[in-house]
Amino acid sequence: MKMIVEGVKAFHKEHFHDYKELFELLARGQNPRYLFITCSDSRIIPHFLTGLGPGEVFTIRNAGNIVPPATAGPTGEAASIEYAVSVLKVRHAIVCGHSKCGAVTGLMNPESLDKLPSVSGFLRHSEAVYRTIKTRHAHLQGDEMVLQAVKENVLLQLKHMKTLPSVAGAMSRKELDIHGWVFMIETGEILAHDASSRQFIPVEQWFMERC
Ligand SMILES: [Zn+2]
């Protein structure tokens, strides 16, 4: 625990003072513009990747950046999304998967999850991805197959999001946009799903095409 406690001490003594006024303001409430849904993987650091600071991004994390559909009932993910969308009025929601994802690798190799019943049960929300890969991308293997599954999984979660009443309502009022991203651990690049070409392209290029 030494390393983490030293880190906490350093934050309070040094960094907190740099943000003192901001935290005083944030103590009165939060007004984030973004909802970021990503994997629990330790290699993804949303603030680091996006340059966003305290109070700017509302985050949901779990194994495989999964959003259970409305039919799954009041899950923790649905509750956090509903709060972010209906109360905090986030303007953009981003589902961000990543290369080398352990959850998606497990999804594609169900036998590896025999001793992980909770993981296996949770990943069932994404079993359509398994079928898509086995039928439409059967030629892919290894990292290439996992990366394609990561992308399909992000797209499936966007579909699931639209089944949540808060999301569907906000989108129909044009108060919310949802986006699919993939973080490439090897290169640090972020790919964004481009609906017109149905491809994942570098996020900067995606943004430029919209300006
Ligand atoms: Zn992951």
Side-chain angles (χ1 to χ4, degrees), residues 15-189:
H15 311 303
F16 182 75
H17 289 283
D18 298 340
Y19 292 99
K20 201 167 181 300
E21 284 172 21
L22 175 60
F23 276 108
E24 279 168 7
L25 192 69
L26 290 174
R28 285 182 240 146
Q30 58 171 331
N31 186 26
R33 187 170 171 78
Y34 305 97
L35 165 62
F36 202 79
I37 301 167
T38 194
C39 187
S40 300
D41 193 292
S42 63
R43 297 165 291 183
I44 304 169
I45 321 108
H47 289 85
F48 205 53
L49 295 182
T50 59
L52 295 170
E56 290 181 316
V57 56
F58 194 83
T59 311
I60 298 170
R61 306 189 72 151
N62 62 34
N65 41 266
I66 285 170
V67 177
T71 49
T75 60
E77 291 78 12
S80 293
I81 291 170
E82 184 177 85
Y83 185 74
V85 171
S86 301
V87 179
L88 300 176
K89 310 271 186 208
V90 293
R91 182 67 189 80
H92 299 276
I94 296 153
V95 176
C96 184
H98 66 100
S99 61
K100 317 273 181 191
C101 181
V104 172
T105 305
L107 175 70
M108 295 309 300
N109 298 280
E111 66 288 350
S112 69
L113 303 176
D114 284 351
K115 292 190 174 141
L116 301 172
S118 300
V119 178
S120 161
F122 188 61
L123 292 179
R124 259 180 228 134
H125 293 300
S126 285
E127 67 185 356
V129 171
Y130 180 87
R131 291 196 300 273
T132 302
I133 296 295
K134 295 293 175 193
T135 52
R136 280 197 248 149
H137 303 280
H139 60 290
L140 296 178
Q141 287 186 331
D143 281 354
E144 227 186 336
M145 182 267 287
V146 171
L147 184 59
Q148 187 61 37
V150 162
K151 291 174 179 174
E152 298 288 347
N153 185 49
V154 165
L155 298 180
L156 179 65
Q157 308 321 316
L158 295 182
K159 267 192 206 160
H160 287 174
M161 281 193 79
K162 291 178 191 167
T163 69
L164 302 175
S166 56
V167 172
M171 286 182 77
S172 71
R173 295 189 297 275
K174 307 221 176 300
E175 293 169 1
L176 175 73
D177 290 324
I178 63 175
H179 312 273
W181 285 9
V182 171
F183 171 55
M184 300 297 292
I185 293 180
E186 310 85 326
T187 61
E189 196 175 28

